[in-house]
Amino acid sequence: MELHRRGHRYRDVETGVTLDTWFPKRDAAVVRHCLAEKHGLIEGDHVEVTIRHLDDRPASTEDAWFRLHLLSERSVKPNGLNLDGIFDLLTNVAWTSAGPVLPGKVDDLRTKVAADWHHLIVYSIDKFPRMVDFVVPSGVRVGDADRVRLGAHLGSGTTVMHEGFVNFNAGTLGEAMVEGRVTPGVIVGRNSDVGAGSSIMGTLSGGGKTKNAIGERSLLGANAGIGISLGDECIVEAGLYVTAGTKVKLPDGKVVSARELSGRSGLLFRRNSQSGAVEVLPTDSSRWGGLNTALHTND
């Protein structure tokens, strides 16, 4: 699968370091302008990038930026392309209201834009910008744009509430509610709910390579967490964190490690309020009622 796109690149004038590259989906030579460029701190030009095979490692900073765009515009699903070495290719950037600059140039930029009656705002200092500053996918709601990084994959019908967070190379495949943390490598299936304050252990957690996921019509309760995958129609009760090594009592009394249940459908994980033991019972999505469809018609 060969992909080719033209992008508009910003580079630091003094060092020539690439700060970002924007790839319009219509593959046009579109020009951006910002105050940091006006005052000579950065310069823009056009660049063409070709990815011959999605399983090849990113070959350049511009190549890495193209891959993040492909994920957020839903051209590729999470884990559908190679992102090995991406942190070494991306630059730490101050993302500001006057454009991207190297962090050491912020004070200079602040002084220069004062002549334009512009009060500089620094949104973050990071390798990854906000997704919506580069890609705005259709049919989604994002309560706080700072909490969805470029490279996030949000399926149509997804709502990310203000406390929700979706990292790069992670996201949803359709209608979903995200009020917790969806970390790199994690995929959430259609009609599932990632509850407030909850967390899904991803590929960057402890250097792990396991790709955890949540299936369809499943619920990860408020302040809960998983270090395993959930299949379809599963529930993890509020406040319960299930790691791969968590000892879980089955309905027949047998005790197994939670990793043996990873990816299975129709399971309810709960903590016995009297004994404190983690138990698993058969269940389905009717136990929690499913998504409110009115909340996920976002067009």
Tab-separated table of all heavy atoms in Angstrom, residues 34 67 78 98 113 166 174 176 178 263 286:
chain	number	residue	atom	x	y	z
A	34	CYS	N	1.551	32.457	9.900
A	34	CYS	CA	1.385	32.747	11.316
A	34	CYS	C	2.358	33.855	11.705
A	34	CYS	O	3.265	34.221	10.942
A	34	CYS	CB	1.623	31.501	12.165
A	34	CYS	SG	3.301	30.866	12.091
A	67	ARG	N	2.216	10.031	8.970
A	67	ARG	CA	1.599	8.874	9.606
A	67	ARG	C	0.599	9.287	10.687
A	67	ARG	O	-0.471	8.680	10.831
A	67	ARG	CB	2.680	7.951	10.182
A	67	ARG	CG	3.499	7.260	9.097
A	67	ARG	CD	4.735	6.572	9.636
A	67	ARG	NE	5.601	6.212	8.536
A	67	ARG	CZ	5.837	4.953	8.134
A	67	ARG	NH1	5.283	3.944	8.780
A	67	ARG	NH2	6.624	4.719	7.108
A	78	PRO	N	-5.518	2.407	14.357
A	78	PRO	CA	-4.409	2.226	15.295
A	78	PRO	C	-3.770	0.852	15.132
A	78	PRO	O	-4.453	-0.136	14.889
A	78	PRO	CB	-5.081	2.374	16.668
A	78	PRO	CG	-6.261	3.261	16.400
A	78	PRO	CD	-6.752	2.858	15.032
A	98	ALA	N	0.756	31.982	18.213
A	98	ALA	CA	1.401	32.686	17.103
A	98	ALA	C	2.157	31.733	16.193
A	98	ALA	O	2.888	32.156	15.310
A	98	ALA	CB	2.365	33.753	17.634
A	113	VAL	N	5.687	39.616	18.903
A	113	VAL	CA	4.262	39.709	18.564
A	113	VAL	C	3.545	40.783	19.368
A	113	VAL	O	2.397	41.132	19.040
A	113	VAL	CB	3.549	38.349	18.747
A	113	VAL	CG1	4.178	37.300	17.849
A	113	VAL	CG2	3.549	37.909	20.204
A	166	VAL	N	-7.214	10.880	24.662
A	166	VAL	CA	-6.891	9.879	23.646
A	166	VAL	C	-5.513	10.207	23.092
A	166	VAL	O	-5.282	11.295	22.548
A	166	VAL	CB	-7.928	9.852	22.504
A	166	VAL	CG1	-7.605	8.711	21.539
A	166	VAL	CG2	-9.342	9.695	23.054
A	174	GLY	N	-15.997	3.658	16.309
A	174	GLY	CA	-17.360	4.089	16.010
A	174	GLY	C	-17.923	4.826	17.191
A	174	GLY	O	-17.191	5.448	17.957
A	176	ALA	N	-18.848	5.910	20.599
A	176	ALA	CA	-18.232	5.553	21.878
A	176	ALA	C	-18.224	6.776	22.780
A	176	ALA	O	-18.238	7.920	22.304
A	176	ALA	CB	-16.799	5.040	21.677
A	178	VAL	N	-15.882	8.493	25.712
A	178	VAL	CA	-14.553	8.450	26.311
A	178	VAL	C	-14.491	9.518	27.400
A	178	VAL	O	-14.469	10.712	27.113
A	178	VAL	CB	-13.438	8.686	25.278
A	178	VAL	CG1	-12.077	8.661	25.963
A	178	VAL	CG2	-13.500	7.634	24.175
A	263	GLY	N	-9.626	-10.733	26.466
A	263	GLY	CA	-10.283	-10.787	25.171
A	263	GLY	C	-11.574	-11.581	25.128
A	263	GLY	O	-12.267	-11.578	24.100
A	286	SER	N	-26.880	-5.478	28.554
A	286	SER	CA	-28.129	-5.037	29.186
A	286	SER	C	-27.932	-4.721	30.658
A	286	SER	O	-28.735	-4.011	31.258
A	286	SER	CB	-29.210	-6.118	29.026
A	286	SER	OG	-28.873	-7.294	29.753
